Amino acid sequence: YGLTVKLRKATAADLSFARELTRVNMREYYAEYARVWQGQSFDDEWEARQSFIINKADKPVGFLSFSMEPHYLYLRDVQLCEPYRGEGIGGWVMGQIASMACELGARSVRLKVFKSNPAMQLYRRQGYEVVGQEKALFWMERILESSAVCRE
């Protein structure tokens, strides 16, 4: 995927794309778990996160965002446009995230995922394990310290 899929640092101009993609992708989960989408909260947090646009052949097909916490990278969002799911892009992106986490000195990557989200299978294949839960979400973590990804 290195030739056709690339990450580029997101800018303020990408905010509306990222917000709308997240809203559309997450609406069924918000409905299922009786949550209310907070577009303003998304906007308010945009500046505090490190965000990247996922481009395929120079076309934006998704985005990711994370924040660095003490000792771990907290993956806040990975969103792909629906037509590009199932092509292996998600697995490639998760590998990029693990590499970034290592470069930033993180010991692990943590994320939260809705319990009914099929992305859980991808996260498990990538070495994430459920380490906690709340009503609607699983908390997952991938330990990186001994991982080969940090030694490549």
Side-chain angles (χ1 to χ4, degrees):
Y1 269 112
L3 299 176
T4 59
V5 178
K6 292 186 169 57
L7 296 179
R8 72 163 171 79
K9 189 90 170 113
T11 67
D14 297 309
L15 173 59
S16 61
F17 167 77
R19 181 196 327 105
E20 184 62 11
L21 180 58
T22 303
R23 186 189 67 77
V24 168
N25 283 356
M26 295 290 102
R27 77 179 153 212
E28 70 182 65
Y29 303 111
Y30 275 75
E32 178 180 357
Y33 295 105
R35 293 191 165 203
V36 177
W37 168 251
Q38 302 281 339
Q40 189 59 52
S41 294
F42 186 94
D43 291 4
D44 292 346
E45 295 169 5
W46 180 256
E47 284 295 315
R49 298 177 178 183
Q50 296 189 54
S51 299
F52 294 83
I53 299 298
I54 304 162
N55 280 333
K56 181 177 181 186
D58 295 323
K59 178 184 180 197
V61 298
F63 89 101
L64 68 93
S65 72
F66 64 84
S67 58
M68 282 303 299
E69 307 295 335
H71 311 299
Y72 68 93
L73 181 150
Y74 181 26
L75 182 57
R76 304 285 183 152
D77 269 301
V78 175
Q79 301 291 340
L80 276 178
C81 296
E82 195 165 1
Y84 297 94
R85 294 183 204 154
E87 295 183 8
I89 295 172
W92 180 85
V93 167
M94 296 305 291
Q96 298 298 303
I97 290 163
S99 295
M100 284 190 261
C102 289
E103 289 170 19
L104 293 166
R107 295 180 190 154
S108 68
V109 177
R110 296 181 186 174
L111 58 85
K112 291 181 182 181
V113 60
F114 281 106
K115 290 179 175 180
S116 61
N117 189 329
M120 269 197 59
Q121 279 84 25
L122 167 66
Y123 303 145
R124 285 205 162 116
R125 283 195 309 270
Q126 294 282 324
Y128 288 79
E129 295 182 7
V130 173
V131 295
Q133 64 179 303
E134 50 196 85
K135 184 178 179 219
L137 301 165
F138 284 122
W139 308 334
M140 300 186 83
E141 181 175 42
R142 178 181 175 187
I143 304 297
L144 298 171
E145 287 181 286
S146 59
S147 172
V149 74
C150 287
R151 295 191 299 267
E152 290 172 357

